[in-house]
Amino acid sequence: MTTLFPSRRVQVLLPLPLQGVLDYLSPEDLPLREGDFVEVPLGSKRLQGVVWSCDPPPSDVPEDRLKHIYGRFDLPALPESLMKFIDWVAAYSLSLPGAVLKMAVSVPRAFEQAKSRTVYRLSVGNPDDLTAARKKVYEVAVGDMPLSVKDWCDLAGTGEGVIRGMIKAGQMTAVEIKGEDLFPEPDVTVSAPKLSKEQERAGDHFRALVRRDKFQASLLEGVTGAGKTEVYFEAVHEALLKPGNQILVLVPEIALTAQWLDRFRDRFGEEPVIWHSELTPAQRRRAWWGVIQGNVRVIVGARSALFLPFQNLSLIVVDEEHSPTFKQEDGVFYHGRDMAVVRAHQSDCPVILASATPSLETLVNAQNGKYDWLYLGERHGPAEMPDMQAIDMRKYPPASGEWLSDPLREALKQNLGRGEQSLLYLNRRGYAPLTLCRTCGHRIQCPHCSAWLVEHKKTGKLQCHHCGHWMGKPKHCPECESEDSLVACGPGVERVAEEVEKLFPEARLAVMASDELSTPAEIRETVASIVRHEVDIVIGTQIVTKGYHFPNLTLVGVVDADLGLSGGDMRAAERTWQQLEQVAGRAGRAEKPGTVLFQTFMPEHPVIDALVSGDRDNFLEQEANAREQQGMPPFGRLAAVILSGADYNTVVTTARQLARAAPKMAGVQILGPAPAPLAFLRGQHRYRLLVKTEKTVNIQNILRRWLDSVKPVGAVRVQADIDPVSFF
Ligand code: ADP
Ligand code: ZN
Ligand code: ZN
């Protein structure tokens, strides 16, 4: 075969879970650089990928067996820092590089230049004249942002007919746009709030780090309400002063940060660009293009924002760095906080980890001097730290079927009398976690998971919180068929709300749980109504612990402070302490002092003691000592191996084979196999092993060799989880 013009070999990475890169030939008249987006043939398909190397190692495959690249897309190359990061994450997490690349380019039509297109802007006169379906469209609109017909449909969850109808009726007007719209620049001239002495000291430190423009990790620790956000805004401001600098702020659950966005706008005149999984395809594409073209200056996003193609990353902030939601536990397993430090290192820029309750991992790094450590010990303004007390439930047991003790009821009553707001915290969605038959003892279970179905009274459903399976609440016991014998056991937030309603019929209640308040708009609205003091008592799950500032809220009651302490994993106590300290931090954030009451059957437990006495240093030191003695992270390395499959026997057989092939080396310990705590999940049987090594051991190498040495039986999936956070 003769080639028409001289060719050269390049390697292309496709955003697919394939083993490694593929060799192609690029025609010499098409100059390619590493990072270029190209289209290539694979089998009978045309696929899009990225040139990963223009100087590949020698290969045995003769050049005339290779196929030619079709062409290159007209967009900036994938920045080198992101290519490096993708390779690093793949190696660290034992994932395929293509699977990691996929996270970086998971944007609709990412590679194609935007053509001119027609979008529609709402132009409704009187919303009261709208039909119900059109009103829904009206209500989901964000400002006067124009959207395509399809995006309107997606956003409002409606059919195309409704939107076309509105266009016809003149309730929407067409706008022609070319390319992606640019985002407005944040305004660096807005006057900043006056900082307190300790805020200023921390702020100055961060400004200096940003100016120095080198890698340095810092822990920004400060009591709840100390003004950590204002302080890291100083760093953001400093970074914005230099043209072209890009800034990434990672937050645990973007949908829950309406207040944060408002504060950003107050400080910088514009909302930042947001990035999370709920964006419409058009919003995703616009943000991604804005980032790769260097137009977007500040992104606030969920962990996946780490994989955006920043041209000039100059600062990363990880807010609420202790949050377990930074850990991704499907596909590519990675910890967003840890990877943020790696990304900053590779981009040679500072990273700030902020929290009132830092993770032990971060604290240890601060204590041994690896991270700078800035501490804010006082709440901003006149606010004091709340008074914290335990209620011993053995002394004040509520009546059967009730959950609030007399002292908590009394405190609620007095707070209501004073016209102040209260929050009851229980980290359990729904009405009751278990439905039981009084006659035969049958417990209603999910058919696909080893978990009970949770009753949701509002919707009349029993629902699995793991797989989403649900059924209507039956009248008869499914086992013994007795009528009306099913009883609800234990409380969820709906049930606590029911009790409060009976106790204080005149009080205005709001339930905040992820299923009551699903859309960001609804969350925003509830938060705003609490701030406006249209609510007396809030009953909420962990979504209320996420940094909200409610100035009139003075009482926090923790319904079950023991929940979560019994879990067997090494972070149970630490995580419970973090959660309760955060929820307690919602009390008394303005002029009026706050009180926090913890209902507990174990008032002497170290976690409760640390909260009530305020002696967190001692508590965390004990936790750190225990981990050090057991050689657990951050003092040793840990990885989990999770096996899953539809057929129980093949899962167990593979688990046993792995156990037999386990590496026998000094400093390496294999625990298990054992059935996972959730031994059956979404129809899959699950087994787990744990690998624990000394800190100096390369745990990835050990795992790679070990897992490669065993061929799974049948369709068993073997997944490695480096630095596991949950052990379900
Ligand atoms: P943290 O994140 O440390 O819990 P925040 O940053 O939410 O604290 O600050 C708590 C409240 O105090 C917020 O309403 C914030 O706007 C306000 N605040 C903090 N520092 C200042 C300041 N220097 N000037 C004005 N308001 C401030
Ligand atoms: Zn029964
Ligand atoms: Zn289920």
Side-chain angles (χ1 to χ4, degrees):
M1 184 181 157
T2 50
T3 37
L4 288 176
F5 31 74
S7 299
R8 57 184 188 140
R9 197 159 56 90
V10 298
Q11 291 185 318
V12 173
L13 184 62
L14 298 176
L16 296 170
L18 301 174
Q19 205 62 250
V21 286
L22 300 173
D23 282 1
Y24 286 94
L25 293 179
S26 78
E28 196 104 294
D29 65 344
L30 180 66
L32 286 176
R33 284 169 310 161
E34 286 169 6
D36 274 343
F37 290 87
V38 290
E39 191 160 49
V40 297
L42 185 72
S44 59
K45 290 198 186 122
R46 291 177 90 93
L47 295 174
Q48 298 159 352
V50 176
V51 176
W52 218 247
S53 169
C54 289
D55 184 22
S59 141
D60 307 335
V61 185
E63 288 216 345
D64 60 9
R65 299 264 314 272
L66 298 177
K67 292 192 172 148
H68 275 93
I69 287 174
Y70 288 136
R72 189 186 57 185
F73 291 96
D74 183 18
L75 80 162
L78 200 69
E80 194 192 334
S81 59
L82 180 53
M83 295 174 65
K84 232 165 62 183
F85 184 60
I86 289 168
D87 281 333
W88 200 95
V89 171
Y92 188 84
S93 66
L94 300 181
S95 308
L96 297 167
V100 184
L101 175 64
K102 184 157 187 276
M103 300 196 295
V105 297
S106 64
V107 182
R109 305 175 325 265
F111 308 126
E112 295 159 33
Q113 274 290 1
K115 300 180 189 77
S116 114
R117 60 211 171 92
T118 313
V119 288
Y120 297 88
R121 181 175 280 146
L122 216 53
S123 57
V124 169
N126 183 357
D128 293 338
D129 298 341
L130 295 173
T131 61
R134 291 181 185 182
K135 200 155 193 172
K136 212 165 135 209
V137 176
Y138 177 78
E139 277 164 359
V140 296
V142 185
D144 65 350
M145 186 157 82
L147 297 174
S148 68
V149 171
K150 168 143 195 332
D151 286 343
W152 276 117
C153 294
D154 289 349
L155 191 66
T158 181
E160 215 177 293
V162 176
I163 308 297
R164 297 270 174 225
M166 292 180 77
I167 296 169
K168 224 176 182 168
Q171 290 159 345
M172 284 202 181
T173 43
V175 187
E176 282 299 315
I177 55 170
K178 202 164 160 42
E180 297 295 335
D181 298 343
L182 292 183
F183 290 94
E185 279 276 307
D187 183 352
V188 289
T189 63
V190 177
S191 66
K194 175 144 180 42
L195 298 185
S196 71
K197 273 253 150 52
E198 62 172 11
Q199 287 177 338
E200 196 172 297
R201 199 169 34 89
D204 287 347
H205 184 87
F206 292 136
R207 280 190 186 274
L209 285 181
V210 170
R211 278 197 302 269
R212 194 168 67 117
D213 196 20
K214 289 265 168 275
F215 170 73
Q216 174 62 48
S218 309
L219 164 60
L220 171 58
E221 185 185 358
V223 297
T224 50
K228 292 183 287 297
T229 318
E230 301 301 337
V231 168
Y232 70 67
F233 277 175
E234 292 294 292
V236 172
H237 182 263
E238 185 69 38
L240 281 172
L241 292 178
K242 193 161 160 211
N245 272 352
Q246 292 177 304
I247 298 131
L248 167 64
V249 181
L250 289 184
V251 293
E253 268 157 81
I254 182 70
L256 309 174
T257 56
Q259 276 193 335
W260 194 96
L261 296 177
D262 291 343
R263 284 175 67 180
F264 188 93
R265 204 185 35 226
D266 289 347
R267 183 73 170 80
F268 298 108
E270 294 289 341
E271 281 204 2
V273 181
I274 55 178
W275 181 265
H276 58 87
S277 56
E278 309 287 304
L279 294 182
T280 65
Q283 289 170 325
R284 258 183 116 68
R285 185 181 148 87
R286 183 169 172 230
W288 192 87
W289 268 82
V291 171
I292 199 167
Q293 290 176 314
N295 158 238
V296 167
R297 303 293 305 279
V298 185
I299 280 266
V300 54
R303 56 179 186 247
S304 58
L306 277 170
F307 295 92
L308 283 169
F310 294 99
Q311 293 291 356
N312 194 5
L313 196 54
S314 61
L315 170 69
I316 304 181
V317 177
V318 184
D319 201 356
E320 313 285 0
E321 69 86 30
H322 62 278
S323 174
T325 59
F326 284 122
K327 182 71 196 279
Q328 170 151 310
E329 285 166 336
D330 57 74
V332 177
F333 285 47
Y334 70 93
H335 200 304
R337 180 234 304 143
D338 298 344
M339 293 309 112
V341 175
V342 173
R343 187 90 158 97
H345 191 259
Q346 293 181 339
S347 304
D348 203 21
C349 73
V351 53
I352 301 173
L353 310 179
S355 176
T357 54
S359 62
L360 211 58
E361 281 77 1
T362 299
L363 263 182
V364 168
N365 280 324
Q367 274 159 356
N368 65 24
K370 245 173 98 179
Y371 293 179
D372 287 351
W373 191 357
L374 285 299
Y375 185 75
L376 308 176
E378 282 163 23
R379 281 191 159 180
H380 169 71
E384 300 281 332
M385 291 309 285
D387 176 38
M388 313 222 202
Q389 289 171 30
I391 297 176
D392 187 342
M393 297 299 274
R394 294 167 304 192
K395 282 198 206 130
Y396 304 100
S400 147
E402 297 184 341
W403 320 100
L404 305 179
S405 64
D406 283 341
L408 183 51
R409 290 174 174 209
E410 184 55 32
L412 280 170
K413 187 171 149 199
Q414 290 191 10
N415 218 40
L416 261 177
R418 279 193 296 269
E420 294 171 17
Q421 290 174 304
S422 309
L423 164 68
L424 291 174
Y425 172 75
L426 177 65
N427 198 16
R428 259 205 200 132
R429 296 188 280 137
Y431 183 79
L434 167 66
T435 305
L436 178 100
C437 170
R438 223 176 348 214
T439 312
C440 74
H442 176 68
R443 295 153 179 233
I444 300 190
Q445 268 218 333
C446 176
H448 314 295
C449 306
S450 41
W452 298 329
L453 294 184
V454 177
E455 178 175 358
H456 288 250
K457 208 170 190 176
K458 257 207 192 136
T459 54
K461 286 177 183 169
L462 301 181
Q463 190 163 16
C464 175
H465 284 181
H466 299 285
C467 72
H469 172 86
W470 62 271
M471 59 193 270
K473 189 173 181 183
K475 261 199 100 35
H476 303 266
C477 168
E479 192 68 22
C480 71
E481 301 193 342
S482 319
E483 203 176 325
D484 293 324
S485 70
L486 295 173
V487 285
C489 294
V493 279
E494 283 184 15
R495 199 168 192 181
V496 172
E498 192 178 86
E499 185 174 338
V500 173
E501 225 169 273
K502 275 199 206 113
L503 284 171
F504 309 108
E506 70 291 357
R508 297 162 300 174
L509 309 186
V511 175
M512 273 181 87
S514 47
D515 43 3
E516 313 288 329
L517 303 160
S518 36
T519 72
E522 282 167 308
I523 294 171
R524 203 175 189 133
E525 183 42 37
T526 305
V527 168
S529 75
I530 298 171
V531 172
R532 287 195 304 265
H533 207 156
E534 293 161 8
V535 172
D536 299 308
I537 303 178
V538 185
I539 299 130
T541 63
Q542 48 89 25
I543 81 163
V544 301
T545 64
K546 295 278 149 64
Y548 288 118
H549 184 67
F550 301 125
N552 294 304
L553 202 151
T554 53
L555 174 67
V556 169
V558 174
V559 176
D560 184 354
D562 307 334
L563 197 66
L565 282 178
S566 51
D569 87 68
M570 64 174 186
R571 291 194 186 84
E574 182 196 354
R575 204 158 40 221
T576 306
W577 169 74
Q578 283 163 343
Q579 240 174 44
L580 296 185
E581 189 77 44
Q582 292 284 348
V583 73
R586 299 314 110 204
R589 288 168 69 94
E591 290 81 21
K592 296 173 207 145
T595 304
V596 184
L597 299 173
F598 300 100
Q599 296 198 136
T600 173
F601 286 91
M602 310 185 268
E604 64 294 330
H605 192 284
V607 168
I608 308 292
D609 184 63
L611 291 161
V612 171
S613 70
D615 190 359
R616 57 136 244 180
D617 290 352
N618 180 44
F619 166 68
L620 290 173
E621 202 181 303
Q622 301 296 330
E623 286 286 302
N625 287 343
R627 287 227 217 145
E628 189 161 15
Q629 266 169 21
Q630 295 153 13
M632 284 295 197
F635 305 97
R637 293 187 195 281
L638 194 66
V641 175
I642 305 142
L643 295 93
S644 57
D647 178 50
Y648 177 78
N649 287 325
T650 50
V651 172
V652 175
T653 308
T654 309
R656 290 206 184 116
Q657 282 179 359
L658 270 174
R660 271 198 299 275
K664 290 175 190 64
M665 293 169 62
V668 178
Q669 206 185 340
I670 310 278
L671 309 164
L678 259 170
F680 190 51
L681 177 65
R682 295 186 200 96
Q684 303 279 303
H685 297 277
R686 304 171 75 246
Y687 260 70
R688 295 178 65 101
L689 296 111
L690 270 181
V691 185
K692 198 172 97 181
T693 75
E694 282 169 14
K695 187 119 195 187
T696 49
V697 172
N698 184 326
I699 199 167
Q700 279 86 3
N701 280 348
I702 302 220
L703 274 164
R704 215 173 275 126
R705 244 178 279 142
W706 177 34
L707 299 183
D708 282 350
S709 73
V710 172
K711 208 178 143 5
V713 188
V716 176
R717 190 158 171 222
V718 179
Q719 180 81 56
D721 180 4
I722 309 286
D723 309 324
V725 166
S726 45
F727 296 82
F728 64 89

